Amino acid sequence: NAGVMQNPRHLVRRRGQEARLRCSPMKGHSHVYWYRQLPEEGLKFMVYLQKENIIDESGMPKERFSAEFPKEGPSILRIQQVVRGDSAAYFCASSPGTASSYEQYFGPGTRLTVT
Amino acid sequence: GEDVEQSLFLSVREGDSSVINCTYTDSSSTYLYWYKQEPGAGLQLLTYIFSNMDMKQDQRLTVLLNKKDKHLSLRIADTQTGDSAIYFCAVPIYNFNKFYFGSGTKLNVKP
């Protein structure tokens, strides 16, 4: 049973380009969370999605950032017109989201560098 | 929102016990979690405790919860060099729509 997959593991973008980060949850998990980790800091919640629905996006910047979790395929975190301050590690976590099991299982992260 | 705090560093000798502390503010959380992050890696779920428990033991790990003081601790017995990592406590809001993480405690184990 494969764990949470994220790709790419490393992504370099120039200022103004778009970054697209992918997350495939664990088999059987229908809940996905995205987090951002700045260097030497903890994780900051960005968005929580279930299949085809954004449940909570209160941690997402209002502009340039969007997320989706389509019926088929991975969850995508999209950052348009990247700036240097977007450089960070982006982690997704998946959860079965059942009443007895809300553990989150994390992917290895995508390290975004904006030059 | 939720405020989760941890001390930043802890240094122990191999074979000693380590105690990592966490305080939080939201009393509605039903589960509280501990994660481990090794350099360049994602977070690994170590253990969790249900909020109606005071203690949970899992091999070398002991979690203590003082719900009145909103204080959570993780004790690692017989700490090994392989335990060197950053440890995060995580607290969900009541409906699990959002998890708040502490800033992490960097554990350094000296041989």
Side-chain angles (χ1 to χ4, degrees), chain A residues 62-102:
Chain A
K62 294 281 183 280
E63 296 177 353
R64 303 188 297 108
F65 285 73
S66 62
E68 62 176 7
F69 189 13
K71 190 176 176 183
E72 301 290 337
S75 175
I76 307 280
L77 178 68
R78 185 172 171 224
I79 311 172
Q80 294 177 291
Q81 298 176 319
V82 295
V83 301
R84 288 227 172 95
D86 297 333
S87 295
Y90 291 83
F91 291 97
C92 81
S94 75
S95 167
T98 63
S100 60
S101 179
Y102 272 95

Side-chain angles (χ1 to χ4, degrees), chain A residues 9 33 35 37 40-43 45 48 55-56 58-59 91 99-109 111, chain B residues 31 33 35 37-45 48 86 88 93 95-104 106:
Chain A
R9 295 289 309 274
Y33 300 78
Y35 294 88
Q37 185 179 34
E40 308 297 321
E41 291 189 16
L43 276 74
F45 167 81
Y48 167 45
I55 306 302
D56 187 326
S58 57
F91 291 97
S100 60
S101 179
Y102 272 95
E103 300 104 82
Q104 295 191 352
Y105 294 87
F106 280 80
R111 278 149 184 86
Chain B
Y31 291 90
Y33 301 82
Y35 286 85
Q37 185 181 34
E38 295 182 11
L43 275 71
Q44 173 195 351
L45 177 64
Y48 62 91
I86 301 175
F88 293 93
I93 62 172
N95 59 5
F96 296 91
N97 279 8
K98 188 184 296 186
F99 282 66
Y100 288 94
F101 282 76
S103 53
K106 189 169 187 176

